Each structure stands twice: as C-alpha cells, then as structure tokens.
Amino acid sequence: MTDHTFDFDRYDRVRPIRWTGDALELLDQRKLPFVVEYVRCESSDDVAAAIHALTVRGAPAIGIAAAWGVVLAARGIDAADGASALTEMEPAMQRLYAARPTAVNLGWALARMRRTLTAAGEDWREVIERDADAITAEDLAANRRMGALGAALIGEGSGVMTHCNTGSLATAGFGTALGVIRAGVAQGRITKVYAGETRPWLQGARLTAWELQQDGIMPTLIADAAASHLMKSGAVQWVVVGADRICANGDVANKIGTYQLALSARHHGVRFMVAAPSSTVDMAMDCGDSIEIEMRDPDELFGVGSVRTAALEISAWNPVFDVTPHELIDAIVTERGVIERPDAAAMQAAFGD
Ligand code: MRU
C-alpha cells in the first residue's frame, strides 16, 4: 500500500439529487438498476411524496431532499422576512416531516431550515436556497472525511461486508459506509466487498451493487441469510454499515437486519463499524428503545418486485429498521472523528456541545 491519495471523481460518479434552479430532480431509486430516470418535483408536497415512496431514500439524502422541499414550499408565499414566511410555510414543513419517521436527518434538516428562516431578512428566499446548497455541500465533505477516517481503521487486504445502500445514492455523494469502502478499496486496504441483498426492498442487490459497478468496484452479492456463514469462513474482517439515528448512548438505528449482523460479527470476532455524518446523531434521544421504527406495507414482503411469491391471504410484519445496542459496535465514525467502543460518556465527549 503506497498511495493513500484519493481520486474522488474516479470512484464517485452517481448523484441522486439535482437542483435545477426551479425544481428538484430525484434519481428514481424504485426503478434502479435497470431504468435510470430522474423524477421532477415542483412542490414541497411532491418532495414529501417522493420521500415516502422511497424515490429518494437513505438518511442524509432524505434530509437534503427535505431542505430543497422547504425551498419549493417558499413558492407563492409573499412575506417581508423569513420569520413571517416560516409561519406560512409551517404546514408544508410538517408534511415533509411526516414523510418518514426513523432517520433523524429529516428533522435535523427541517430544524436547520427553520433556524435559517427565523434569522433571515427580506432576502429570505435566496438565504434558504443558499442553506439547502450548503447542507448538500457539507454532507459531501463529511462523507469524504469519514471515508478517510473509517478506511484508516481497516487493515491491508481485508474483506468487508455491508448492508442496505449507504452510498452516493443515499447521500449528497460518496456515501457513508460505502464511502469508507470506496476509500478502503482505493487504498488497497479492502480487497473484497460483500453486499447483503437487504430484503425486502433489496437496496443491496439493486442499489449498492449497481452503484459500486458504476465506479468500477465489483461487489459480491450474498443473501442476507448467508451473512453468519460468511463471517464464520474468515472472509470478512469488518462489517461496515450506515445509520439512520445514533442515540446519546451510542445505540444505532439502521436498516432491518443490521442488529443480527452486529450479533453475528461479535460472535465471530469480526469488527463492526458504523459510519454516519454528525447530522445523524440525536443527542436528545437517550437510547434506542425510544426510536420510532418505521413499519411499511406488508405487501413489500409478499413478493419480489411485482411478482407474488408468498402464499395468499397471510399476514406479514414489516419493520424496516432495527436498533443495534452500542455494546456491539467497535467504532462509530463521523466527520468529527472516530469513537471506539461508543457509550454515553464517549458520545457526550464528542457531541455534548
Ligand atoms: O429505507 P432506506 O433505504 O431509506 O434505509 C436506508 C438505510 O438504512 C441506510 O443504511 C442508512 O440510511 C444510512 S444511509 C447513508
């Protein structure tokens, strides 16, 4: 391993969110990998519907889309300053907030846009547009920083496993866990990447595999149920995942299946890393028990795509996130640094401000 510099453009080409100046274009993640198509959102309610439908998904991407949703909500509002505009925009912002419950980045972005509006004068429209742009740029910069910090923990020639999609598709670009993997591959630390399918919505099979392929990294797909068998074989040294909410004690909500990966990793001596920007940290939430776990339509479990595979007239339970207790996590990586063996004291020291 000699060269640790990183050619970002070579390893990061996908962009899921585009602001055109008068509309928000979202790469339709329901249609990937076979159809690459952007959906045009012209109102904040279009954005809320797109977040709910998973047209755009992934915690940081949801926050960024919501920030642009606020910019769209300003349309047709005639107000002398930001504080007056906020009063009129509040119902639209509440609808954005209600689009999905688990990822804190949605509420984080809306709270930031509220603060920006409250402080803005007569140029409030330009001010919120600049802030939505800043949220996007800061996310990309945070991911690149996390990539470097997370990759540095991984030994040369390692195999890693990841879950869901945490890449450019889930962020402003580069990705969280997938950013760590991109950086690790570029530096020769990671020689093999395993991606879990991530039933039922198949973010791993449809999105992570496609996204890595675009950037010349060839992942090996595994059934979610093969993860423990893989870890037992000694082929992976790290499981690297993202997060939708990180609590004040270090508990982490992430895509359903993450918890069982952490349990299995601990059993097999495989290390477990969570990579997420500081916008995913929720110091107001003491521990994972209080996190609202999104429940989605049981229909998602009854088939693959539009093809029914389950017996008819049955019920299904479909929580789409779970909580990994902090005791099972070896490292939480944010753009602010690495927290090894996270707990309440370490989180307070890092994020207590
Ligand atoms: O339901 P999704 O696809 O929005 O869930 C996404 C995840 O759980 C990701 O792993 C998480 O948001 C981290 S994304 C950088």
Side-chain angles (χ1 to χ4, degrees):
M1 181 171 47
T2 47
D3 184 11
H4 281 193
T5 56
F6 194 84
D7 176 359
F8 285 107
D9 292 333
R10 176 172 165 213
Y11 287 99
D12 180 28
R13 295 193 177 95
V14 177
R15 287 292 175 270
I17 301 173
R18 300 192 302 217
W19 175 247
T20 66
D22 62 354
L24 189 65
E25 292 181 343
L26 299 172
L27 179 54
D28 193 342
Q29 305 200 21
R30 298 165 304 177
K31 295 188 175 165
L32 288 171
F34 301 118
V35 177
V36 180
E37 189 175 281
Y38 283 80
V39 168
R40 191 175 158 86
C41 297
E42 296 184 349
S43 71
S44 62
D45 284 347
D46 287 349
V47 176
I51 292 172
H52 183 71
L54 309 188
T55 309
V56 59
R57 35 66 48 205
I62 292 170
I64 293 162
W68 288 113
V70 173
V71 174
L72 289 171
R75 291 247 176 100
I77 288 186
D78 188 16
D81 56 30
S84 324
L86 177 58
T87 311
E88 291 195 49
M89 287 159 67
E90 198 53 57
M93 290 173 80
Q94 287 298 336
R95 290 194 293 277
L96 282 165
Y97 183 74
R100 289 190 80 186
T102 303
V104 71
N105 308 60
L106 176 57
W108 172 89
L110 292 173
R112 173 163 161 174
M113 295 300 272
R114 273 195 190 91
R115 285 196 300 278
T116 303
L117 267 169
T118 305
E122 61 181 14
D123 60 344
W124 60 272
R125 276 178 214 285
E126 294 79 50
V127 170
I128 55 170
E129 190 166 329
R130 275 202 299 277
D131 205 31
D133 215 21
I135 287 174
T136 311
E138 287 166 25
D139 186 63
L140 182 58
N143 292 339
R144 289 175 172 180
R145 176 84 187 124
M146 277 186 277
L149 291 170
L153 301 175
I154 298 174
E156 202 170 337
S158 294
V160 299
M161 177 179 173
T162 191
H163 189 54
C164 194
N165 173 268
T166 62
S168 299
L169 286 169
T171 63
F174 200 63
T176 58
L178 227 48
V180 170
I181 290 172
R182 281 192 164 92
V185 168
Q187 295 172 358
R189 295 175 187 275
I190 297 174
T191 49
K192 189 87 187 162
V193 181
Y194 294 91
E197 288 184 291
T198 320
R199 279 282 292 157
W201 215 69
L202 300 176
Q203 286 93 331
R206 296 192 304 105
L207 307 180
T208 297
W210 178 80
E211 181 181 330
L212 288 178
Q213 220 176 17
Q214 302 307 300
D215 296 336
I217 300 169
M218 291 303 161
T220 298
L221 185 66
I222 65 163
D224 297 322
S228 293
H229 187 59
L230 176 71
M231 290 191 222
K232 191 171 146 196
S233 76
V236 297
Q237 282 62 55
W238 280 92
V239 175
V240 188
V241 297
D244 286 77
R245 195 179 289 252
I246 302 175
C247 299
N249 70 344
D251 290 354
V252 168
N254 192 49
K255 181 52 55 190
I256 191 76
T258 303
Y259 176 32
Q260 65 192 22
L261 290 178
L263 283 167
S264 187
R266 182 56 55 92
H267 180 77
H268 291 103
V270 171
R271 303 195 73 204
F272 193 88
M273 184 192 308
V274 174
S278 56
S279 55
T280 306
V281 174
D282 183 1
M283 290 300 281
M285 196 149 288
D286 288 350
C287 71
D289 296 344
S290 318
I291 298 176
E292 181 181 348
I293 298 293
E294 179 180 4
M295 302 296 294
R296 289 189 74 87
D297 194 331
D299 271 356
E300 289 182 351
L301 283 174
F302 291 148
V304 177
S306 55
V307 179
R308 174 107 190 183
T309 52
L312 298 173
E313 292 168 26
I314 55 166
S315 61
W317 184 62
N318 188 22
V320 297
F321 296 96
D322 59 25
V323 175
T324 299
H326 61 93
E327 295 89 346
L328 295 176
I329 299 169
D330 290 294
I332 291 179
V333 178
T334 76
E335 78 280 10
R336 297 202 198 170
V338 176
I339 302 174
E340 296 201 56
R341 293 175 297 284
D343 60 13
M347 289 295 292
Q348 180 63 25
F351 297 104
D353 55 2

